[in-house]
Structures are given as C-alpha cells and as structure tokens.
Amino acid sequence: MKRKDPQRDDLNRDGLPTLADLEKRYEDMIGFTPPRIAKRLKLGMSVAPEVVAAIEDWRITALKPDALDQKTVQLMAFAILLTQTSEAATNHARAAIKAGASLEELHAAAAIAALFRGVAAFNLAGEVLSGLFPDKA
C-alpha cells in the first residue's frame, strides 16, 4: 500500500512512516517510547509495515482532534484507561502533565473513572499519580 502525500516528510520511499518516525510520535506525546510499544512497532514494521502504519496513523488522528486540546484529550485517555485498569494509564497521565494538566485535574479524572469502574480504577490512579508526583505522596 503506497501513500502519496507530498506535504509529509516523515514517509519512506514506500510512502510509509519509518520506525523512527513512529517512535518519535510517542516521544513527542509522552517523552519516550514505552518498551512494550517499541517492541510492537519494531516487530510490526518488519512483518507488516502497512498495518502498523495504518494503526499508528489512526491512533495519532484520534489523539489529536481539532475540537479538543491535548490536555483534555490526555485526561480523557487517562480516565478511560483507568476504567480498563490498563498500565497505559501511566503513559497518558504523563502526556496530560506534558500538556499542562495538574495533579488535581488528573485526580478529578480518576474520580470519574472510579465512578464507572470502582475502587480498582482509583487504586491504579493512586499508584500512577504517586509515582508521577512523589512529593505529594
């Protein structure tokens, strides 16, 4: 699957982003590429780069909507992932902080998640936020 977009300089000769380009998306959003994601990207780009590129393009499009600012997007992602008790909540808490979210805003998002998931979500939030704000723990 070749893509043609002369406005993008992050595409390789096949019209797909490179592994480094995909990793940079994570670095721009949360400051690093999480190890689990790095492994998935590396393997996927060697096996089915079209699939990985499509998924990552969808991901970045969904996470950068015109209608919402990044702080709001990342607070939402944090709360959603807490309801799933997903380790990825930590990454989106970091992204929310990078986008300007405070501990109080993250805690409020966690309280909403707890309403729908219960104490498990709030316990995960406590663990995540204590690690990201050790001076408050």
Side-chain angles (χ1 to χ4, degrees):
M1 171 168 118
K2 290 194 176 196
R3 300 178 194 186
K4 295 182 180 179
D5 187 346
Q7 301 299 319
R8 293 193 50 193
D9 60 0
D10 66 340
L11 303 178
N12 68 19
R13 61 184 167 81
D14 295 324
L16 298 171
T18 66
L19 175 60
D21 297 326
L22 296 177
E23 289 172 336
K24 185 172 182 332
R25 293 178 185 183
Y26 287 89
E27 291 161 12
D28 290 346
M29 189 168 288
I30 62 174
F32 70 105
T33 304
R36 180 180 285 174
I37 293 169
K39 288 176 186 175
R40 174 180 57 81
L41 292 175
K42 185 175 181 183
L43 176 69
M45 290 301 282
S46 70
V47 176
E50 306 85 10
V51 172
V52 173
I55 290 168
E56 290 299 316
D57 285 350
W58 178 32
R59 181 182 95 39
I60 205 70
T61 299
L63 289 173
K64 292 195 172 190
D66 291 336
L68 298 171
D69 62 84
Q70 269 303 287
K71 183 170 86 170
T72 302
V73 168
Q74 295 304 331
L75 286 167
M76 289 176 65
F78 174 61
I80 291 165
L81 290 163
L82 286 175
T83 65
Q84 298 172 351
T85 59
S86 170
E87 294 174 10
T90 303
N91 295 332
H92 289 277
R94 283 189 176 105
I97 293 166
K98 190 172 179 190
S102 66
L103 172 58
E104 291 76 16
E105 290 168 319
L106 285 156
H107 196 268
I112 294 167
L115 177 65
F116 296 99
R117 176 60 185 211
V119 175
F122 222 44
N123 287 343
L124 178 58
E127 185 177 324
V128 168
L129 297 177
S130 292
L132 294 173
F133 293 90
D135 58 315
K136 303 281 185 177

